[in-house]
Amino acid sequence: MVRELATRDLVVTVSQLESWRRTGLLPRHRRRGLGRGRGSVVDVIDPVVVESAAVLARHLRQGRDRRLAVLEWFAEAGVAAQPGAVQVPEPPLAAVREALVWVLRGSMSHRLVEVARGAAGAGEEAADGLYEDAGRLLAAHRYRGAANPALVRSALEADEDVPDGPDFKGMVHLVAAIGLGAQEVGADALAEAFAAFGLFGLTGEDWAQMLGAVERGEGPPVDWGLLQQRADVLGPVQQAGDEELLRARTVLLGLRWFYGLYAMHALFMPDTPALAALRARIDEWGMFALLDHAISLSPSPRHFAQGLVICLEPLFDGLYETLMEQLAADPALFEIPGDEAGGAASFMETWTRTLREQTARARERVDESGEGPL
């Protein structure tokens, strides 16, 4: 097998192969005995073993933690092979679960939950400390979401300033609600936190009105215990079965593609009825800001792990199913109305031409304003 991998420019030693076998990452070829104490030989070369060794060789660089390589392997195995290429086999799912838990234990999400739970029932001083500690963690990983692509595109076309995306600094109130309880945090603070996600298209004012009514007992009761349950990032992975992990990967990879199509609308990607229909479905669910928070187009293994645990949630599974149904109903994503040539190649030519035109327009505006080169 070492020679087979060498033909692919993958350098692997016998000791490495044995190490991977000992850790349960690489199965062994089936062997048959020679009889009379003469040992055994490989009965048949198993292509799954060879491909598993190849993917490990690609991702498990010297000095790198094997759990990161396992997550990259799991992500790669979820992508359909190109025509003529061999499908990457699945890694051992026990190793995948171990890697997910290891990564998530070190994530900021888990650290915030630990901070929140540490303050639960510990008095007013601990509550003040919770806000301070959570605020410090969030400030160290400051994040601003992307503005809605339709608004960005409109601003660029009108030569206006591009709007800012949502600022998630209000997340500190959600962390506090996990530790102290929603009643202690208050409706206005929670409204600020929920509004940052843009859920269901609701504004901060909308959330404040609804949560204020709940707080006053004028609306249907809310089970805030669910907020504390859903905050756990480790439990869902530890409790998920193998099929659930595989399904979450399908949802994550699928939503990444749909999210990418939506995000590219900001960059003058030609619009088609099919693309507009997909965006409309996401807007109906009020999910763009949440997708932007959860999905990374070029994810690291750590981003992949955090996205996967989010996609165990039924909300994301439901959105994925809705978008797949819409795609089946109108699959002509890259068919521009009135384009006689049609097809993906013509679509890309139109997009490239539009980008050149927009760049030229921007340069002309800069020249006219005397602000210097673009």
Side-chain angles (χ1 to χ4, degrees), residues 320-343:
Y320 170 73
E321 280 299 312
T322 295
L323 295 175
M324 289 299 292
E325 290 170 5
Q326 177 59 47
L327 179 61
D330 189 355
L333 297 179
F334 307 121
E335 296 292 334
I336 302 173
D339 183 359
E340 295 182 0

Side-chain angles (χ1 to χ4, degrees), residues 51 58 75-90 249 253:
E51 295 305 321
R58 287 198 301 273
E76 188 177 346
V79 179
Q82 295 294 321
V86 178
Q87 179 65 44
V88 172
E90 295 287 355
R249 181 185 63 185
L253 297 180

Side-chain angles (χ1 to χ4, degrees), residues 117 177-178 181-183 222-232:
R117 289 175 174 168
I178 292 167
Q183 292 79 4
V222 174
D223 183 2
W224 290 112
L226 290 174
L227 177 63
Q228 295 167 322
Q229 293 174 22
R230 297 296 186 187
D232 182 13

Side-chain angles (χ1 to χ4, degrees), residues 148-150 198 200-201 258-259 261-263 265 271-288 291 319 322-327 330 333:
N148 186 286
F200 315 121
F258 288 122
Y259 166 75
L261 291 176
Y262 198 137
H265 183 68
D271 208 4
T272 67
L275 287 171
L278 285 175
R279 293 198 309 276
R281 289 297 188 100
I282 294 174
D283 290 341
E284 287 167 9
W285 283 59
M287 287 284 283
F288 175 77
L291 285 177
L319 176 63
T322 295
L323 295 175
M324 289 299 292
E325 290 170 5
Q326 177 59 47
L327 179 61
D330 189 355
L333 297 179

Side-chain angles (χ1 to χ4, degrees), residues 1 14 16-29 49:
M1 187 158 61
V14 173
Q16 282 178 308
L17 294 175
E18 283 303 314
S19 173
W20 297 342
R21 289 181 179 120
R22 285 195 302 271
T23 57
L25 294 179
L26 187 66
R28 295 183 181 275
H29 291 297
V49 176

Side-chain angles (χ1 to χ4, degrees), residues 45-324:
I45 297 294
D46 187 343
V48 171
V49 176
V50 175
E51 295 305 321
S52 297
V55 73
L56 280 168
R58 287 198 301 273
H59 295 298
L60 194 51
R61 300 181 292 276
Q62 185 174 4
R64 193 179 196 214
D65 194 290
R66 62 178 174 79
R67 289 165 290 199
L68 298 178
V70 167
L71 290 179
E72 287 185 335
W73 179 3
F74 185 53
E76 188 177 346
V79 179
Q82 295 294 321
V86 178
Q87 179 65 44
V88 172
E90 295 287 355
L93 289 178
V96 172
R97 186 176 284 100
E98 176 196 349
L100 286 168
V101 170
W102 175 72
V103 166
L104 293 170
R105 281 192 192 280
S107 68
M108 187 181 72
S109 298
H110 181 66
R111 291 164 65 191
L112 286 170
V113 171
E114 291 292 287
V115 167
R117 289 175 174 168
E124 186 174 336
E125 186 174 335
D128 293 339
L130 186 158
Y131 269 97
E132 183 178 339
D133 292 342
R136 186 165 50 248
L137 280 172
L138 289 168
H141 299 81
R142 196 63 179 269
Y143 168 74
R144 180 179 285 277
N148 186 286
L151 299 178
V152 173
R153 183 169 179 148
S154 296
L156 291 173
E157 290 173 338
D159 193 22
E160 298 174 350
D161 291 336
V162 173
D164 291 329
D167 189 333
F168 288 92
K169 62 183 180 182
M171 279 287 294
V172 69
H173 301 304
L174 278 182
V175 177
I178 292 167
L180 308 176
Q183 292 79 4
E184 290 294 324
V185 174
D188 290 342
L190 283 174
E192 179 187 345
F194 286 131
F197 286 104
L199 273 175
F200 315 121
L202 299 176
T203 65
E205 184 177 343
D206 295 331
W207 281 109
Q209 289 178 354
M210 289 191 301
L211 295 176
V214 171
E215 194 173 56
R216 295 188 299 271
E218 298 171 359
V222 174
D223 183 2
W224 290 112
L226 290 174
L227 177 63
Q228 295 167 322
Q229 293 174 22
R230 297 296 186 187
D232 182 13
V233 295
L234 297 181
V237 170
Q238 292 169 325
Q239 297 162 16
D242 290 351
E243 291 303 317
E244 290 173 295
L245 289 180
L246 292 169
R247 173 63 180 181
R249 181 185 63 185
T250 297
V251 171
L252 175 59
L253 297 180
L255 288 180
R256 183 189 300 166
W257 186 68
F258 288 122
Y259 166 75
L261 291 176
Y262 198 137
M264 290 301 104
H265 183 68
L267 300 179
F268 301 106
M269 187 169 74
D271 208 4
T272 67
L275 287 171
L278 285 175
R279 293 198 309 276
R281 289 297 188 100
I282 294 174
D283 290 341
E284 287 167 9
W285 283 59
M287 287 284 283
F288 175 77
L290 204 54
L291 285 177
D292 180 63
H293 181 69
I295 304 293
S296 174
L297 294 179
S298 300
S300 67
R302 289 181 169 84
H303 284 139
F304 174 79
Q306 293 179 67
L308 190 82
V309 70
I310 290 172
C311 288
L312 285 167
E313 291 289 337
L315 177 66
F316 286 86
D317 195 298
L319 176 63
Y320 170 73
E321 280 299 312
T322 295
L323 295 175
M324 289 299 292

